[in-house]
Amino acid sequence: MNTIYISDDQRQLLIDLLDRELLSLQKEIMHTDTYDYRQFLKERERALDRLLHHLQTQARAGSNSQSSIEPTAPPREYQL
C-alpha cells in the first residue's frame, strides 16, 4: 500500500476542499431521481466523510509534522 505524506497546510487545504465537496454532493443527492446513481453518490459521500474525519482528527491532535494518508480501494465507476 502506498502512503502519501502531506504538510499541515496541505492537510488544511484538503479539509477545506472536502468540506466544500461534501456540501455540493449533499445538494446533488437531494436532486437526484435515479436510485442507483443516488446510492453511488451516498457511497462517495461516506468515503469523503471518512477521509475528512481522518484529516480533522489529525489536525486536532496537533500534528506539527507531516500527515500520512493511506489510500483505500479505488472508487467504483458509475455508468449512466
Side-chain angles (χ1 to χ4, degrees):
M1 184 175 295
N2 296 327
T3 302
I4 301 169
Y5 293 96
I6 59 173
S7 69
D8 289 341
D9 289 340
Q10 291 168 327
R11 180 180 55 222
Q12 188 57 51
L13 176 61
L14 283 173
I15 288 171
D16 294 344
L17 291 171
L18 288 168
D19 272 334
R20 193 174 336 154
E21 179 61 21
L22 279 167
L23 287 174
S24 175
L25 193 56
Q26 290 166 352
K27 290 177 186 176
E28 188 173 356
I29 289 170
M30 287 189 316
H31 293 99
T32 300
D33 295 328
T34 306
Y35 176 81
D36 289 339
Y37 188 59
R38 182 186 304 258
Q39 293 310 111
F40 166 76
L41 293 175
K42 287 181 178 182
E43 283 180 32
R44 183 174 173 92
E45 178 185 33
R46 285 188 292 273
L48 291 175
D49 194 50
R50 284 190 303 271
L51 179 56
L52 178 61
H53 177 72
H54 176 74
L55 292 169
Q56 288 172 329
T57 300
Q58 285 184 341
R60 282 192 296 271
S63 170
N64 291 326
S65 59
Q66 291 183 333
S67 300
S68 65
I69 301 173
E70 295 186 12
T72 58
R76 293 185 328 182
E77 290 191 24
Y78 185 79
Q79 299 292 323
L80 290 177

